[in-house]
Amino acid sequence: MRQQYILNTHSTVSLYALAVASSSITNSSTQCMEMVLGYCQDVPYSHTTFPNIVGHRSRQDLEMGAEYLLLSVIHGLLNGECSPDIRLLGCSVLAPRCQDNKLMKPCRSSCEMVKKSCIHAFEAIQMAWPYFLDCDRFFVGDEEGCYDPLSELREKQEVAFANISDGGIFTIIQFTYHTNSQMYSILKKTASKCSHISQTYSIGRSVEGKDLLAIEFSDNPGQHELLEPEIKLIGNMHGNEVLGRQLLIYLAQYLCSEYLLGNERIQTIINTTRIHILPSMNPDGYEIAASEGHEYNGWTSGRANAQNLDLNRNFPELTSIFYNRRRFRHFRSDHIPIPESYWLNKVVAPETYAVMKWIRSFPFVISASLHGGELVISYPFDLSRHPQEDRMYSPTPDEQIFRQLARTYADAHATMSNNDTERCGASFANKGGITNGAQWYSFAGGMSDFNYLHSNCYEITVELGCDKFPSEVELYPEWLRNKEALLSFMEFVHRGIKGIVKDEHGNGIKGATISVRGMRHDITSAEDGDYWRLLNPGVHIVTAAASGYSKVSKRIHLPRKTLVGRVDFVLKKVPREPSLDYFNIPELDHYERFDPFNQFEQSSQRELGENGEERTEKPWWWAYFSQLGISAPTWLLRNY
């Protein structure tokens, strides 16, 4: 995240004053005085001096400033996170150590360590990193004679962790419900703790402006690695179905902690797979559901987003297009473009838009959407192949792959695959805890069908149980029931074949199609020409093709004991001749037309102020500072 430290005429200290103060600190004689500041009494020294490092010329001047006020309320603002680290670090600048009538500056390394660990907590409440904790401006290196203001705190922590064999790198997961703010904070804290294998990023915003915050795990976070498959896990699509949201928060913490502890299985998963986790697709709906709580929440309260739209009915309806045209020889049954009627005739939720853009931006191979209300795994198609039949078996061309994917989760779940398990109303006898979606009940505009027909991604719907909003005492048992299932699901991505489609010069070919004889659903290669094709063991005829290149077919044998096989293709450039082949269908040109009428880009443009700055609503914590007659600390506003 880019940090801006802007000091203007409204700030407590101007740039000029800082320059003057810095000069006076350096050149004038310094007098040590006893430390009497209430919120800085536990610093590892007893004397300070004024003017301080940022220019306050007296104790009274400091105590009237927004900087000192921030230190006094920081524990409450951050819900106890990074306290007293932030306060002690701030005191080392506002009330610096004085020794032998000489001002001593705190160490830059101390500041950098705290910032790395705590910046997520500020981001979670939409607060900028305080300017007086700028590590480059107000802190110095060891060679300049600095001191560590956190030395005594670290010594106490080392004593506290002395009997813990792993040195304190474990994570204590709190099996409680988390507010949106707490969720953001946990994800960012987890990413900070495991920064070498993790990062957070936003895929967009909800109707009410809340971040749709995702966390990714990879041995090279932020980068797609050649031949490394990518998966996604989505929770809380329906705001009142909350168990999946909590499980994904716990999963993120678990992956980070176990990786650091040397868990070989977790390290293998993360080192060979890029994992994207979106715990809450509908944070607005969750707030409605959570406001009622477990005991009073109805079956539908908070299900929809803030526009009262069911997000799992809001995606482009491509399944009926597949049904209507599958009998045509030259119709492509994969990567079906979004019809323009979708943008013209449907209210598209910003959450739906964000997820569609997300799907198109990453080469996802498999996905799971976590729901509640039943105990079963549902797989596409979700829309019945007969418009008048509400419960009709409607398989995809990849029926066997989907069944295996669904069974992987169900069989690893503690109770889902048991036929004698008490269900919530639907009958799944003798099905082992899995069902074809349309055979259960038919609906249009679902996310799983969209994933399959618009991208390379195979998505299942995980119904976690009868109670959509279980009590907190059920969270830990549910984690135990689902942990192995989640891990097994992630490992499933390493099935079938993978490889690279190249030209004669060794360059990867983007958008090449990989087809399997007898399975009328193709996948396409990613940016660098790499691909992943889920396949069950057996003999397969696989063909790679690209516009302007010759086709290449290979007969492969995938043994049962081989999880994934490597199959590369080299295609030769050939003159392109007009034909009615796969690549000359006019409708394929529409695939890249996403948001063709630019509706979302226009609506996302924010209003600018008189000086061109972006206007933003003041966050909830602004009242701490605005009503006390002090200079407004605009340096705490991220977009000021």
Side-chain angles (χ1 to χ4, degrees), residues 330 332 510-514 522 524 544-551 571 576 579-589:
H330 293 291
R332 190 168 181 172
K510 176 185 176 182
T513 61
I514 309 299
D522 302 341
T524 58
S547 182
Y549 293 87
S550 60
K551 293 183 180 180
L571 306 186
R576 183 172 179 178
S579 66
L580 284 176
D581 71 7
Y582 214 56
F583 302 100
N584 291 325
I585 302 169
E587 191 168 301
L588 290 179
D589 296 336

Side-chain angles (χ1 to χ4, degrees), residues 116-128:
K116 180 179 179 181
S117 301
C118 299
I119 193 170
H120 73 276
F122 286 84
E123 291 176 348
I125 61 171
Q126 298 182 325
M127 179 182 283

Side-chain angles (χ1 to χ4, degrees), residues 302-596:
R303 175 183 174 90
N305 76 340
Q307 296 167 294
N308 200 30
L309 294 174
D310 187 327
L311 298 179
N312 207 26
R313 309 292 188 274
N314 195 239
F315 283 82
E317 206 289 88
L318 306 180
T319 321
S320 59
I321 298 176
F322 170 82
Y323 289 146
N324 290 336
R325 302 186 183 180
R326 60 182 172 172
R327 57 185 173 272
F328 297 125
R329 180 180 177 186
H330 293 291
F331 178 70
R332 190 168 181 172
S333 61
D334 59 274
H335 293 78
I336 298 176
I338 300 171
E340 289 194 358
S341 58
Y342 171 77
W343 304 105
L344 292 171
N345 302 329
K346 198 175 187 74
V347 177
V348 183
E351 298 90 346
T352 308
Y353 181 87
V355 169
M356 287 195 295
K357 202 167 184 180
W358 192 34
I359 291 169
R360 291 168 59 97
S361 300
F362 293 89
F364 295 121
V365 181
I366 61 173
S367 172
S369 177
L370 277 56
H371 290 249
E374 254 298 347
L375 185 64
V376 72
I377 304 296
S378 171
Y379 61 86
F381 285 122
D382 283 322
L383 180 67
S384 173
R385 58 182 174 174
H386 194 290
Q388 304 304 320
E389 292 288 341
D390 186 49
R391 300 177 185 273
M392 185 177 188
Y393 175 59
S394 306
T396 69
D398 282 287
E399 167 71 4
Q400 296 306 314
I401 293 294
F402 270 118
R403 287 180 62 85
Q404 190 63 36
L405 182 60
R407 190 163 294 287
T408 295
Y409 195 103
D411 288 349
H413 187 278
T415 59
M416 189 177 289
S417 63
N418 299 338
N419 289 327
D420 58 351
T421 298
E422 184 178 347
R423 305 290 172 175
C424 319
S427 175
F428 301 111
N430 302 319
K431 290 189 176 181
I434 69 173
T435 184
N436 172 257
Q439 192 171 20
W440 181 15
Y441 67 94
S442 175
F443 66 92
M447 185 166 66
S448 293
D449 283 10
F450 175 79
N451 270 273
Y452 181 67
L453 292 175
H454 190 68
S455 75
N456 291 328
C457 189
Y458 292 62
E459 181 173 274
I460 60 172
T461 300
V462 180
E463 299 284 346
L464 292 164
C466 306
D467 193 346
K468 294 187 175 185
F469 202 139
S471 62
E472 282 194 338
V473 296
E474 285 297 315
L475 294 179
Y476 179 59
E478 287 291 353
W479 165 249
L480 295 180
R481 293 184 191 107
N482 285 277
K483 181 180 73 171
E484 178 58 33
L486 288 165
L487 298 180
S488 296
F489 175 82
M490 291 190 286
E491 290 170 328
F492 185 90
V493 74
H494 299 282
R495 301 282 184 97
I497 60 173
K498 65 179 180 179
I500 306 174
V501 183
K502 303 177 182 178
D503 63 19
E504 295 174 280
H505 304 290
N507 302 311
I509 301 175
K510 176 185 176 182
T513 61
I514 309 299
S515 57
V516 180
R517 184 176 297 177
M519 301 176 68
R520 196 171 179 182
H521 184 85
D522 302 341
I523 56 97
T524 58
S525 58
E527 190 76 29
D528 298 319
D530 47 346
Y531 75 90
W532 305 262
R533 198 355 167 153
L534 298 177
L535 286 175
N536 285 328
V539 178
H540 304 279
I541 305 298
V542 183
T543 300
S547 182
Y549 293 87
S550 60
K551 293 183 180 180
V552 174
S553 297
K554 293 186 178 183
R555 182 179 184 272
I556 66 165
H557 176 236
L558 194 61
R560 281 192 182 278
K561 294 183 179 180
T562 301
L563 291 180
V564 62
R566 175 77 181 266
V567 182
D568 293 337
F569 294 90
V570 177
L571 306 186
K572 295 182 179 180
K573 198 80 173 177
V574 296
R576 183 172 179 178
E577 297 179 2
S579 66
L580 284 176
D581 71 7
Y582 214 56
F583 302 100
N584 291 325
I585 302 169
E587 191 168 301
L588 290 179
D589 296 336
H590 296 296
Y591 186 83
E592 298 301 328
R593 297 193 65 196
F594 188 66
D595 191 12

